[in-house]
Amino acid sequence: MALRIRLRRTGAKKRPSYRVVVAESQAPRDGSFVEIIGHYDPLTDPATVKIDADRAKHWLGHGAQPSDRVAKLLQKVGVAGAGAAAHEEQAAQGETG
């Protein structure tokens, strides 16, 4: 089971807000998930980001890969190693293609 840390859209039409969730990589964007570890509201100024750093580190330690946007959010809240995992994945894709 490959896990991803990614955004799950909530909110009304044209008023998005997101939950930061741990989900299987094959699950749909708004489908099933394992755990909610935070939320992100891009419409506030500045954008509201609240992520449980301990749970994020736990899932990263168990092999969950953050999406590009979540990796940036994790760096913003100070979770070490989040950006490195995303950067390594992009480098690996660049070498193959």
Side-chain angles (χ1 to χ4, degrees), residues 2 6 14 43-46 69 96:
R6 63 183 181 203
K14 303 218 183 228
L43 299 180
T44 59
D45 189 27
R69 176 55 54 187
T96 60

Side-chain angles (χ1 to χ4, degrees), residues 4 8 10 12 15 18 25-26 31-32 38-44 46 53 55 64 69 77 81 89 93:
R4 301 269 306 173
R8 181 175 200 246
T10 59
R15 301 279 306 163
Y18 300 91
S25 61
Q26 298 299 315
S32 63
H39 67 271
Y40 167 57
D41 186 359
L43 299 180
T44 59
R55 296 307 294 164
R69 176 55 54 187
V77 298
E89 184 176 318
Q93 289 176 355

Side-chain angles (χ1 to χ4, degrees), residues 32-61:
S32 63
F33 58 90
V34 178
E35 182 180 1
I36 299 172
I37 61 171
H39 67 271
Y40 167 57
D41 186 359
L43 299 180
T44 59
D45 189 27
T48 304
V49 178
K50 182 169 180 169
I51 297 175
D52 184 347
D54 291 334
R55 296 307 294 164
K57 289 177 186 176
H58 167 81
W59 286 111
L60 288 169

